[in-house]
Amino acid sequence: MGKVALITGITGQDGAYLAEYLLKKGYTVHGIKRRSSLFNTERIDHIYQDPHAEKRNFILHYGDMTDSMNLTKIVHDVSPDEIYNLAAMSHVKVSFDTPEYTANADGLGTLRVLEAVRLLDLTTKTRIYQASTSELYGLAQEVPQTEKTPFYPRSPYGVAKLYAYWITVNYREAYGLHASNGILFNHESPIRGETFVTRKITRAMAKIALGMQEALFIGNLSARRDWGHAKDFIKAMYLILQQDKPDDYVIATGVTSEVREFITRTFKSAGMEIAFSGTGEKETGEIISIDDAVFKERVGKEYIPAINTRIKSNPVVVRVDKSYYRPTEVDQLIGDATKARKKLGWIPEYDLEGLINEMVNSDIHLMKKENHIRNGGFRTLNYFE
Ligand code: NAP
Ligand code: GDD
């Protein structure tokens, strides 16, 4: 019999990749999905199974991280070998607008999962992975950040995740739970939420290249992040739970880049050279040249005349909007994943270029579909979140 996993946050970026990965390994995967007025299963539709089918190895349950009775019942019914606690209000900027909810879902939600396992006497059976974050380092006290670097969170999200980190450690030490924290640095993909900076950039670039959007409006261009690919990072989650002993691990690529650089590289990947000028809120990015061969291959020959005409009249494609600034910012993150490399044998396969190319290809494809809809006379929106 294969193992049974329960994933909270299964409809999210990581939940979707992890579910697919565990199914391929022969697991039965249960996922918790919260009620929504829309289906909201787009990321997992390709692995969805009809509930009427007799034999299923992918099963969804309605639930919410703020509802302990519901979580306890699901853990009871599923009796999982492994729980991957990925559900969270995961947007740092939004956590300043919804601090209490974030504390409840991200902080207390973790406690609810741990308590369910303890109360149901599953402490010797069920292993728990907690989705901890490099946001714990916040105002980083050391460069690069390791498992030993002191935490200094800078947002309600970071503070909620700090509670979740320590309650996981505490349940491990107090009750002997196999409970581990993966301290994951930023990881992205073609299915990354549209309002995180990388996806916002790749989507906007694709629309600009196709003539569907004027400019990308962005916040702090100088923030630095250690960006990896979610496909690599979910493998680390799995490896962490396969260890004999629970422990906490930094998962990172060890390379940090500015938001500004991510933008430059994204446009370059589609054949557009960007130059930044000005400072602060007056900083802009403009297209200074087009590499026809790359643009033709990535975007399409038929879009070259329009982009050339457009940049002659208005080459500015990146503008700063201070409404995207955060009350307190995390300026720089860079992780040292030596422990994960040595103990888990975890080595990421993607570098930043590979990640950007994959996201760019996917978003150009997506926006072409949207463009067809628009050209067919239907309304499509440009989102500026
Ligand atoms: P994501 O795409 O935002 O997915 C979050 C998931 O949590 C979604 O399935 C969401 O459901 C669910 N969720 C939110 N609030 C919930 C609630 N109250 N009850 C039940 N489910 C709820 O995030 P992700 O990028 O996959 O990240 C997964 C986890 O890793 C999160 O805990 C995040 O904080 C953490 N993390 C992420 C990164 C990163 O760079 N991606 C780095 C470090 C740590 P809906 O689909 O209904 O919204
Ligand atoms: N979202 C967003 N939108 N961020 C912007 C923008 C913008 O328009 N302009 C600049 N940024 C900057 C943010 O200020 C931040 O410094 C950086 O880009 C990255 O922002 P996000 O992509 O929103 O990610 P994050 O680093 O705040 O949080 C993500 O990574 C954490 C791990 O470090 C989330 O996935 C968290 O859930 C995760 O824990």
Side-chain angles (χ1 to χ4, degrees), residues 11-14 34 40 64-65 86 90 101 157 161 187:
T11 56
Q13 170 190 254
D14 292 4
R34 53 183 175 163
N40 189 30
D64 200 291
M65 295 307 289
L86 310 185
S90 72
Y101 172 73
Y157 167 80
K161 284 282 188 176
H187 45 281

Side-chain angles (χ1 to χ4, degrees), residues 8-16 32-36 40 43 63-66 85-91 101 105-106 129-135 157 161 182-188 191-193 196 230 233 237:
T8 72
I10 195 139
T11 56
Q13 170 190 254
D14 292 4
I32 299 183
K33 150 187 155 63
R34 53 183 175 163
R35 197 268 159 180
S36 153
N40 189 30
R43 293 190 179 106
D64 200 291
M65 295 307 289
T66 60
N85 184 35
L86 310 185
M89 201 308 289
S90 72
H91 203 284
Y101 172 73
D106 300 13
Y129 171 86
Q130 168 55 23
S132 283
T133 162
S134 49
E135 279 292 304
Y157 167 80
K161 284 282 188 176
I183 308 171
L184 271 52
F185 283 62
N186 297 51
H187 45 281
E188 322 293 314
I191 57 165
R192 178 63 145 150
F196 295 100
F233 281 51
M237 298 176 184

Side-chain angles (χ1 to χ4, degrees), residues 293-308:
V294 179
F295 196 93
K296 185 176 144 194
E297 188 196 319
R298 279 283 157 80
V299 189
K301 198 167 115 193
E302 63 276 32
Y303 298 97
I304 294 180
I307 190 81
N308 277 319

Side-chain angles (χ1 to χ4, degrees), residues 58-111:
F58 183 67
I59 299 132
L60 294 175
H61 306 258
Y62 278 114
D64 200 291
M65 295 307 289
T66 60
D67 183 340
S68 24
M69 279 186 276
N70 152 268
L71 288 173
T72 308
K73 178 165 189 322
I74 295 171
V75 174
H76 171 267
D77 293 351
V78 172
S79 191
D81 299 298
E82 297 171 3
I83 297 179
Y84 295 86
N85 184 35
L86 310 185
M89 201 308 289
S90 72
H91 203 284
V92 173
K93 175 87 191 317
V94 175
S95 78
F96 287 97
D97 302 324
T98 60
E100 183 184 345
Y101 172 73
T102 305
N104 193 0
D106 300 13
L108 291 180
T110 305
L111 172 67

Side-chain angles (χ1 to χ4, degrees), residues 326-340:
R326 294 164 184 195
T328 39
E329 175 63 294
V330 172
D331 294 322
Q332 159 158 284
L333 291 173
I334 175 165
D336 175 352
T338 305
K339 180 174 169 184

